Amino acid sequence: MTLFRSRFLQAAAVVVLAFCALRFGIQPPVPWSVIKIYLFVVLAAVFIYVSSDSDSWRSFLAPIRSTLVDPDRRVLRGALMIVVPLLVGYYAYSQAAARPEAPPELRAVHPAPPASIQFRGKELSIQGLDNPLRKDAATLPKQVAAGGEIYIRNCVYCHGDNLDGHGRFAPALNPPPANFQDPGTIAMLQESYLFWRIAKGGPGLPKESGPWSSAMPAWEDRLDETRIWQVILYLYDATGQHPRRWEAK
Amino acid sequence: MTSAATRRRVGHAAATVLFLAVFTHALPAAAQELVREPAYRAFPLIGSRLAVWAVAQLHLNFAAFILGVPVFAVIIEIIGWWTGDPKYDWLSHEFVKLVFAAFSTTALLGALLLFLFVGFYPRFWAFMTNIFVTTYWIYALLFFAETFSVYLWYYGWNWLSGPRKWLHVSLGVVSNLFGIAILFIANSWLTFMMSPTGITESGALKGSVWGAIHNATWMPINVHRLIANLVFGGTIAGAYAAFRFLNAETDDERARYDWMGYIANFVALSAFIVLPFAGYWLGREIYAFNQTMGITMMGGFMSWLWIIQAILIGVLFFGNNYYLWLGMERIPGSERYRKYIPYMLSILALGFMVWATPHSLIVTLQEARAMGGTHHPLLGVFGVMSAKNTAVNLMILTTFLSYVLYRRANKLSIRSWVLTGMAVQWAAFVVAAAIVVFYGVYGYFVESIVRIGFSVYQVGAVLGAIVLVMTIDVPMFRGARSTGPIRWGQIPPRSQYVLILLAVTFTWLMGLMGFARSGIRQYWHVYGVMRDTSVDAVTPALGYASNMITLVTIVFFAFVMFIFWLGGLSERGEAGAHAPVVAPTGAGSRAPRR
């Protein structure tokens, strides 16, 4: 029981448990980049807790000090002097070793749109633009239905029939197609933003944050203005999301 | 030869002569123009942008310090005047001493920045001058006024004491008013660069200069910087106190600087609690002014800065609470509140994790496949503002709870209504937390524009709880029975390193967020009006910017260390001058060396 009262072991147990919970307790697995951030927070919190009063801090340090200086811990000390450098060496090797996979990418999910675009020779101001088809509520169901047809004919192959980015082509694409069901995608954006992304596709992405590897085609060559607005209506209708409105001036 | 041909030939000759005349006259004129006024000049070795960036950041750091510290220095002086307690007067003087030492460095860096603009960005500077020339004179006059009033404030400390103390306090207030006016004018220049208004398409003023000053981001920046200056001033003053504490040779000295560090941190903490709200307002105004700029900042290539910002803010929350908990060790009677620490720490840690969860994850292809896309179904929930606003509001509430417990650590209320008072206080915490969580969760089920509005309710609930709890707390513990005096100076030295860490973290954070604010203009000097056509018209990568900011932070602290050293040097050989060097309550007991 004395062993369990050791501050050092308690702290180590919390860190190990946190690691196991983060690594194995959440499905699908949490990416390593996030696990590292979370473990940093856990380590900091544990350090703060054990050192937030002097008794606890002394108790935490006692086994470390004893391992470093006590003559009867010589064997343990020797073992640690072998094991710790080996672990550090393994970590260095694992970070430096070549892996047969693409490196992780630091992507910007929402590239910044331009203030205006040229659409088939016409200048469209993205800033402040609303979907013109929403003005006539009576025809809205018809427009949504038309948008659905356009989606199924053109978009479903990548974005999927559930609009969740799991289309037939999706496994071949990196980055994967956008998941419209996710509250972090179209629900956060104005409809004019979607218009820009659909009209200009991957080739129309801004210079910053490049190089982009979006496979999204520029649909302005195939869809006219009305049809793009129709498919946007469908995206929001089918996912149950609401487009972001412009702030009142 | 026909007359028509002759006329044509004469016409051609006349046109040629005219062209040559214009060309030969214009060419030297154009050449002279180019020589006289190039758009840019190159600063040796490091380039103009790096030079301006580094000097501007250093100038801003010092300016924030000399504008922030006098605000609370005068408040502390007023408390001392009001209560008649000399230790407050000593503390206020100590703070102003720091400002005084940093004053000339700020002015020097400001002048250097001006020379850099005039010398290396002449066309940009001419453009700004055409619009803001009126404000330059006002700025200079205000600077004179502030300098004289601060000098008089500092040097007149003993002269204007006793019955003339009101005059001295007034000087402090006036210095602050001048300082705030200076801040607002400088802010008008930089906010105009972000959200220009009041000018024609050619860049000329439409009406008065007020049209350009009163742009969309001016007031949000004014408020944000004013509060941030207080935090910054508090953390730097706290670092100074820590520096003096760690170098102290007597228990009295240790007690004095322990107390100074506590007050400085208290100021920083109080302002820090409301800072995120001001920042949120600024972000919202930027977004409303220009969607491109807003998305560049929050969702585009600047979005990863917010993760670094989240980590730094998390460190500030952790650090502040840790300092308070360590400080409880010097308060007899605080043991009864230690049991709350694990719970408060858990809320802070969970809030920190949510706050630092990226919206766009760094994932390998395998990880993306396993998640079914680039969005994780659970982490995606934490990556949006609903979750982050909830997390930060709960962290603020928890930090406030830490402070409340610290405040009453050695007090036992003697009021008959103490149980009711405490019940109402706890209820205020619970209700505020419930409102924050409710709107956080509800935010996922409403459209974006409505969700943004929810943050106002969350902030309102937290601020309401803070006001209510303090309104009850002050009378409840007035005249309270003490469980023992605070043993100032008897705090583990690691607490002082926390104060230094807070100062470094906040300085770094200011540089980072300053880069974000400025960088969202991208290749514009004045957004949408005057394009940056220099060789440096490239927004630096985040790693490069972080290295640059780190370097500037190191240089700044090298300067600050020198000023701290000067602060100590001026005391040598003048012991007793401005002296209420009174140890705070409980001082004099031997501080243990740990």
Side-chain angles (χ1 to χ4, degrees), chain B residues 66-67 103 138-139 141-150 170-185:
Chain B
I66 66 163
L67 294 178
F103 220 83
I138 301 170
Y139 185 86
L141 286 174
L142 282 169
F143 200 82
F144 271 118
E146 201 212 359
T147 308
F148 290 141
S149 56
V150 168
S170 306
L171 266 177
V173 173
V174 167
S175 320
N176 273 294
L177 292 177
F178 287 139
I180 290 168
I182 286 175
L183 172 74
F184 280 20
I185 289 180

Side-chain angles (χ1 to χ4, degrees), chain A residues 22 26-34 37-42 44-49 51-55 57-58 100-115 126-127 164 166 170-176 179 182-185 187-190 192-193 208-209 242-247 249, chain B residues 284 287-292 295-296 299-301 303-304 307 311 315 318-319 322 325-326 329 338 341-342 345 348-350 352-354 356-380 382 384-385 444-452 492 494 522-523 542 594:
Chain A
L22 291 168
I26 301 173
Q27 288 301 325
V30 177
W32 272 108
S33 59
V34 181
I37 295 175
Y38 286 175
L39 276 182
F40 164 75
V41 176
V42 171
V46 166
F47 172 79
I48 286 173
Y49 182 65
S51 62
S52 62
D53 76 84
S54 294
D55 291 340
W57 185 229
R58 270 191 293 273
E101 62 178 16
E105 280 191 57
L106 187 70
R107 289 186 64 232
V109 164
H110 301 313
I126 298 295
Q127 176 95 17
D164 54 4
H166 288 183
L173 301 175
N174 181 25
N179 170 5
D182 191 295
T185 57
M188 303 183 83
L189 302 166
Q190 281 97 352
S192 64
Y193 185 98
E208 67 262 17
S209 299
H242 299 279
R244 183 172 189 159
R245 278 181 284 152
W246 297 100
E247 296 218 27
K249 291 280 178 192
Chain B
R284 195 173 167 174
Y287 204 102
F289 173 75
N290 188 290
Q291 187 205 28
T292 305
I295 293 182
T296 299
F301 80 97
S303 59
W304 263 89
I307 298 304
I311 290 170
V315 169
F318 266 6
Y322 184 44
W325 299 334
L326 283 172
E329 270 204 61
R338 298 207 70 81
I341 291 177
L345 187 56
L348 289 173
L350 289 172
F352 192 164
M353 286 178 177
V354 171
T357 302
H359 182 198
S360 44
L361 306 170
I362 301 180
V363 286
T364 61
L365 191 57
Q366 280 70 20
E367 286 173 332
R369 295 267 178 271
M371 291 192 310
T374 49
H375 276 71
H376 191 282
L378 178 66
L379 302 183
F382 297 149
V384 293
M385 283 312 289
Y444 290 99
F445 300 98
V446 294
E447 59 175 312
S448 198
I449 197 82
V450 179
R451 180 170 62 240
I452 291 167
R494 59 182 175 278
Q522 298 185 62
Y523 43 81
L542 301 184
R594 288 163 209 256

Side-chain angles (χ1 to χ4, degrees), chain A residues 36-37 102-103 116 135 143 171 189 204:
Chain A
K36 283 179 193 166
I37 295 175
S116 62
K135 283 181 188 156
Q143 305 284 16
L189 302 166

Side-chain angles (χ1 to χ4, degrees), chain B residues 429-566:
Chain B
F429 273 110
V430 171
V431 169
I435 290 173
V436 167
V437 173
F438 170 75
Y439 279 110
V441 175
Y442 190 32
Y444 290 99
F445 300 98
V446 294
E447 59 175 312
S448 198
I449 197 82
V450 179
R451 180 170 62 240
I452 291 167
F454 283 174
S455 62
V456 177
Y457 305 135
Q458 291 178 313
V459 169
V462 171
L463 290 182
I466 290 173
V467 171
L468 180 61
V469 168
M470 287 314 292
T471 308
I472 296 170
D473 217 58
V474 172
M476 193 157 72
F477 287 97
R478 187 171 292 141
R481 192 155 60 82
S482 171
T483 53
I486 299 176
R487 298 185 292 262
W488 292 107
Q490 295 190 24
I491 188 168
R494 59 182 175 278
S495 64
Q496 306 305 305
Y497 293 109
V498 173
L499 290 180
I500 294 168
L501 172 77
L502 291 175
V504 175
T505 306
F506 199 77
T507 309
W508 211 83
L509 184 60
M510 267 174 57
L512 196 74
M513 298 326 288
F515 164 70
R517 186 198 53 71
S518 184
I520 54 173
R521 284 184 287 115
Q522 298 185 62
Y523 43 81
W524 296 96
H525 288 310
V526 180
Y527 194 77
V529 176
M530 187 184 197
R531 203 166 171 138
D532 182 354
T533 55
S534 70
V535 289
D536 297 320
V538 182
T539 309
L542 301 184
Y544 178 92
S546 303
N547 288 338
M548 182 67 198
I549 292 158
T550 306
L551 201 64
V552 173
T553 304
I554 290 169
V555 173
F556 173 69
F557 273 96
F559 274 116
V560 165
M561 287 299 288
F562 177 66
I563 288 169
F564 286 178
W565 177 72
L566 281 182

